[in-house]
Amino acid sequence: LIAEGRALRPNDFVGEPEPAVPHSIESCPFCRGNEHATPHELALVNDDQGNWLVRVVPNKYPAVDLASGGREPPAGLAACASDARDLRPPLACEPARGVHEVIIESPRHVRDWTELSSEELATVLRVFRDRIEHAYKAHQMRSALIFKNVGQAAGASLEHVHTQLMALPCVPEVLMREVQIAADHQERTGKCLMCELISDELRQGTRLIAENERFAAIAAYAGRQPYEIWVVPKQHASSFTQLGEEESQRLAAILGETLSLLHSVLAPLASAGDLRPPLAYNVVLHTAPVGEARFAAFHWHWELIPRTTSLAGFEWGTGMFINPVSPERAAIRLRALKSGEKLPIQ
Amino acid sequence: LIAEGRALRPNDFVGEPEPAVPHSIESCPFCRGNEHATPHELALVNDDQGNWLVRVVPNKYPAVDLASGGREPPAGLAACASDARDLRPPLACEPARGVHEVIIESPRHVRDWTELSSEELATVLRVFRDRIEHAYKAHQMRSALIFKNVGQAAGASLEHVHTQLMALPCVPEVLMREVQIAADHQERTGKCLMCELISDELRQGTRLIAENERFAAIAAYAGRQPYEIWVVPKQHASSFTQLGEEESQRLAAILGETLSLLHSVLAPLASAGDLRPPLAYNVVLHTAPVGEARFAAFHWHWELIPRTTSLAGFEWGTGMFINPVSPERAAIRLRALKSGEKLPIQ
């Protein structure tokens, strides 16, 4: 996605060091009282007094938008307008269509989901569900990605708790491959691959970190980063748009619990004081695209990816990842923290 | 690659801030005089007086090794030895076999290729060629990756100029896809895709940054990061092991020139003084694997990837990248610097 409008984001401009994230409510565009600093909201959840609890706004610096012919280049950037792109085969290029929204998850200036109540997080999860559904229905998008960047090393430019929705008229590569593998497995065995995996993980327990009636959190068998965790529904469901009320509460509980464990294990050196541990991580929802029957073989899940190691040339050149902490060891350490045991080694 | 031995690298240990890179020769394991700090060398290039110019050593903390059954877990880490991994289908796991070497590119404590002479860099490039050939012939590896991490944001843990070789008994995903696309195009059209692309780029010039008799440097048409540059041989060659003497000199010249331009354009804000601009980047060689006739359709090239934006949840979830600087604009700015013009805008 060539998205020159994003170069206008002061935090994102190449070559400049990222400024410190704002700590004061006055300068934060996502805090209550500063609603004028963001575009007009697309959706709101209010409390009984009419104060907003969750606010959905268009991304002010979108990587994709709904203009079918691409949008005007920002003032001063006309020299490389998208119509100047060379399109002779084998080169190809098309307007970057899609939906790019920001979900502001609390009016309070807090930094991540561990600072929301379980009820607040459940509300946020239902907003995700509804915005995905809206992108599919109102804008004919085929896939939707919910992703959260916490910490500068994970790509965040603002500290205030928020998540992004990107919905696209296509199915991106990573999701399409997962869907294809799920569909192939279903066709070959009649079963859901993720249902089999999660049932094995629950029976064996080696990589199990937390579970409740509805969900399991496991250290990913082939985790790309140390302490990569997947949170998976125990019962088959292809799309996050199917999330029920009670499920949203159970999911909020296990996501909050798992993130708290990650904070504890990964930030033992954080200085005491007001600052939270400087854990950087991404959280990404994988949910079925729409439009084909075989997509029902997919099994939605969340991926929690702590960003403790830098991606290097090896990863760029191979698509493989080097993980210095086995998922089995990660699970041992996370479970030990949960039960208040002392860490087994180191 | 689950590589627990790498957790012993002090710089790489999760949760701990990376220590500052050493600036003094005394503490640098790659400087002349400190050869005892690295494993015994696998290869050397000496000057006329018998002093080494380039030194190849095994990676002290390898992600892969040649032990066919996997290696012993480091002391104290026995609880999660690799034989404890669950292997029931659909789970799968195998020993991480391969070659992992470090090429120390100068006895002097310099930081990147722009501080080597063109002749020194040409020698280094021929060492890469020979070590790849060695990994194929002596260890029956099928693919080889040469990658360079400069700066902590690009995954470097040591500052002294060095590059890594990783050779594998398999063909990694990224390379296999490129090879497959090249082979398909060759079969369909009888032509090399990269030869067609580079010939178009030379004729049109929009994304051309530098060229000489043998090579062209272009801003990648679908660059994943701002200022991503590919350096490509003008004549078809599938494998870097075919690199000739004169070619190595021409390649050194264009790589040095291109990196100097990147330094200039990306670090305008670097403080004056002894420190070089804090540009972080990866350089990755893409060269044909061995073992199948269709691999000859591949066209080797180098990818230079400045690391100016953080990868975020969107990239993890989609395999797509958001690039806020179009390659056409990147090329305009880099060419302007080369000719001493003032930058066109901003």
Side-chain angles (χ1 to χ4, degrees), chain B residues 12-251:
Chain B
D12 211 37
F13 197 73
V14 289
E16 294 183 21
E18 293 190 74
V21 288
H23 289 278
S24 69
I25 287 179
E26 294 72 21
S27 65
C28 173
F30 292 168
C31 278
R32 192 195 303 286
N34 297 340
E35 291 79 4
H36 60 276
T38 58
H40 193 70
E41 61 258 14
L42 301 163
L44 281 177
V45 176
N46 287 331
D47 66 13
D48 295 341
Q49 283 77 47
N51 296 312
W52 66 269
L53 299 172
V54 182
R55 193 163 170 263
V56 181
V57 297
N59 192 306
K60 201 168 175 178
Y61 304 99
V64 294
D65 65 24
L66 288 167
S68 59
R71 66 182 175 289
E72 290 295 308
L77 301 187
C80 290
S82 61
D83 57 5
R85 297 226 85 194
D86 184 4
L87 295 177
R88 283 173 303 170
L91 299 176
C93 182
E94 60 185 70
R97 284 193 68 237
V99 169
H100 194 173
E101 300 178 355
V102 176
I103 296 95
I104 306 168
E105 299 166 308
S106 172
R108 304 192 311 277
H109 193 83
V110 295
R111 273 164 270 195
D112 86 352
W113 286 348
T114 60
E115 295 170 276
L116 300 183
S117 71
S118 198
E119 193 183 337
E120 287 172 326
L121 181 50
T123 302
V124 164
L125 295 170
R126 293 192 297 271
V127 170
F128 295 163
R129 173 197 65 193
D130 296 344
R131 294 313 296 173
I132 295 171
E133 186 75 19
H134 181 264
Y136 291 160
K137 294 274 168 63
H139 301 300
Q140 291 77 52
M141 294 292 116
R142 288 191 66 206
S143 68
L145 189 78
I146 296 277
F147 62 98
K148 185 173 193 60
N149 308 327
V150 176
Q152 296 195 333
S157 54
L158 289 171
E159 184 183 55
H160 188 121
V161 66
H162 70 284
T163 290
Q164 298 180 65
L165 162 71
M166 182 100 75
L168 299 171
C170 58
V171 183
E173 183 176 314
V174 164
L175 183 58
M176 186 54 101
R177 189 168 66 161
E178 290 177 345
V179 168
Q180 190 63 54
I181 288 169
D184 288 352
H185 189 86
Q186 177 99 54
E187 193 173 40
R188 202 168 56 245
T189 68
K191 293 177 185 162
C192 165
L193 176 59
M194 186 67 94
C195 286
E196 287 190 76
L197 279 171
I198 207 70
S199 143
D200 269 6
E201 294 288 1
L202 287 166
R203 188 165 51 242
Q204 192 191 342
T206 326
R207 285 170 293 274
L208 187 64
I209 291 158
E211 67 169 316
N212 61 32
E213 293 84 338
R214 296 285 201 157
F215 297 95
I218 55 162
Y221 182 77
R224 295 155 290 184
Q225 296 275 289
Y227 295 91
E228 177 175 339
I229 296 174
W230 291 10
V231 175
V232 186
K234 290 180 178 177
Q235 296 297 316
H236 186 77
S238 60
S239 176
F240 194 71
T241 58
Q242 300 160 327
L243 188 80
E245 178 83 15
E246 186 241 338
E247 263 185 317
S248 71
Q249 291 161 5
R250 299 292 182 188
L251 181 56

Side-chain angles (χ1 to χ4, degrees), chain A residues 160-205:
Chain A
H160 188 123
V161 66
H162 71 284
T163 290
Q164 298 180 65
L165 162 72
M166 182 99 75
L168 299 171
C170 59
V171 182
E173 184 176 313
V174 164
L175 183 58
M176 185 54 100
R177 191 169 66 161
E178 290 178 345
V179 167
Q180 191 62 54
I181 288 169
D184 288 351
H185 189 86
Q186 177 101 54
E187 192 174 40
R188 203 169 56 246
T189 68
K191 292 176 186 164
C192 165
L193 176 59
M194 186 67 94
C195 285
E196 287 190 76
L197 278 170
I198 207 68
S199 141
D200 269 5
E201 294 288 2
L202 287 166
R203 189 165 50 241
Q204 191 192 342

Side-chain angles (χ1 to χ4, degrees), chain A:
Chain A
L1 293 174
I2 309 292
E4 296 218 299
R6 287 176 74 78
L8 300 178
R9 291 192 303 169
N11 287 355
D12 211 37
F13 197 74
V14 288
E16 293 183 22
E18 292 190 75
V21 289
H23 289 278
S24 70
I25 287 179
E26 293 72 20
S27 65
C28 172
F30 293 168
C31 278
R32 191 193 306 284
N34 297 340
E35 290 80 4
H36 60 277
T38 58
H40 194 71
E41 62 257 13
L42 301 164
L44 280 177
V45 177
N46 286 330
D47 66 12
D48 295 343
Q49 283 77 47
N51 296 312
W52 66 269
L53 300 172
V54 182
R55 194 164 169 262
V56 182
V57 297
N59 192 306
K60 202 168 174 178
Y61 304 99
V64 293
D65 66 24
L66 288 168
S68 59
R71 65 182 177 287
E72 289 297 308
L77 301 189
C80 291
S82 61
D83 57 7
R85 298 227 84 195
D86 183 4
L87 294 177
R88 284 174 302 172
L91 299 175
C93 183
E94 59 184 71
R97 284 193 67 237
V99 169
H100 195 173
E101 300 178 354
V102 177
I103 297 95
I104 306 167
E105 299 166 308
S106 171
R108 304 193 311 278
H109 193 82
V110 294
R111 273 166 268 194
D112 86 352
W113 286 349
T114 59
E115 296 171 276
L116 301 183
S117 72
S118 197
E119 193 183 338
E120 287 172 327
L121 181 50
T123 302
V124 164
L125 295 170
R126 293 192 298 270
V127 170
F128 295 163
R129 174 197 65 193
D130 296 344
R131 296 313 297 173
I132 295 172
E133 186 77 17
H134 181 264
Y136 290 159
K137 294 274 168 64
H139 301 300
Q140 291 76 50
M141 295 292 117
R142 286 192 67 207
S143 68
L145 189 77
I146 296 276
F147 61 98
K148 185 173 194 61
N149 308 328
V150 176
Q152 295 194 335
S157 54
L158 289 171
E159 185 183 56
H160 188 123
V161 66
H162 71 284
T163 290
Q164 298 180 65
L165 162 72
M166 182 99 75
L168 299 171
C170 59
V171 182
E173 184 176 313
V174 164
L175 183 58
M176 185 54 100
R177 191 169 66 161
E178 290 178 345
V179 167
Q180 191 62 54
I181 288 169
D184 288 351
H185 189 86
Q186 177 101 54
E187 192 174 40
R188 203 169 56 246
T189 68
K191 292 176 186 164
C192 165
L193 176 59
M194 186 67 94
C195 285
E196 287 190 76
L197 278 170
I198 207 68
S199 141
D200 269 5
E201 294 288 2
L202 287 166
R203 189 165 50 241
Q204 191 192 342
T206 325
R207 286 171 292 275
L208 187 64
I209 290 157
E211 66 170 317
N212 61 32
E213 292 84 340
R214 295 285 200 158
F215 296 95
I218 56 161
Y221 182 76
R224 295 156 291 185
Q225 295 274 290
Y227 295 91
E228 176 175 338
I229 296 174
W230 291 10
V231 174
V232 186
K234 291 180 178 178
Q235 297 296 317
H236 186 77
S238 61
S239 176
F240 194 71
T241 57
Q242 300 159 328
L243 187 81
E245 179 84 16
E246 186 240 339
E247 263 185 316
S248 71
Q249 292 162 4
R250 299 293 181 187
L251 180 56
I254 199 166
L255 284 171
E257 178 184 5
T258 306
L259 279 172
S260 292
L261 290 172
L262 278 177
H263 274 288
S264 300
V265 81
L266 290 177
L269 303 176
S271 58
D274 285 341
L275 272 178
R276 292 187 59 79
L279 173 63
Y281 62 90
N282 298 109
V283 183
V284 184
L285 171 65
H286 290 233
T287 183
V290 289
E292 294 187 39
R294 68 187 173 128
F295 295 166
F298 191 72
H299 190 127
W300 71 259
H301 60 280
W302 288 88
E303 297 183 4
L304 281 60
I305 308 170
R307 299 291 294 278
T308 57
T309 61
S310 301
L311 297 192
F314 177 74
E315 286 79 7
W316 284 102
T318 59
M320 298 165 74
F321 294 86
I322 300 172
N323 180 350
V325 181
S326 75
E328 294 78 12
R329 177 182 313 282
I332 288 172
R333 292 175 64 90
L334 291 163
R335 284 196 306 262
L337 274 174
K338 193 169 57 163
S339 59
E341 288 169 33
K342 284 176 65 174
L343 289 184
I345 32 172
Q346 290 173 16

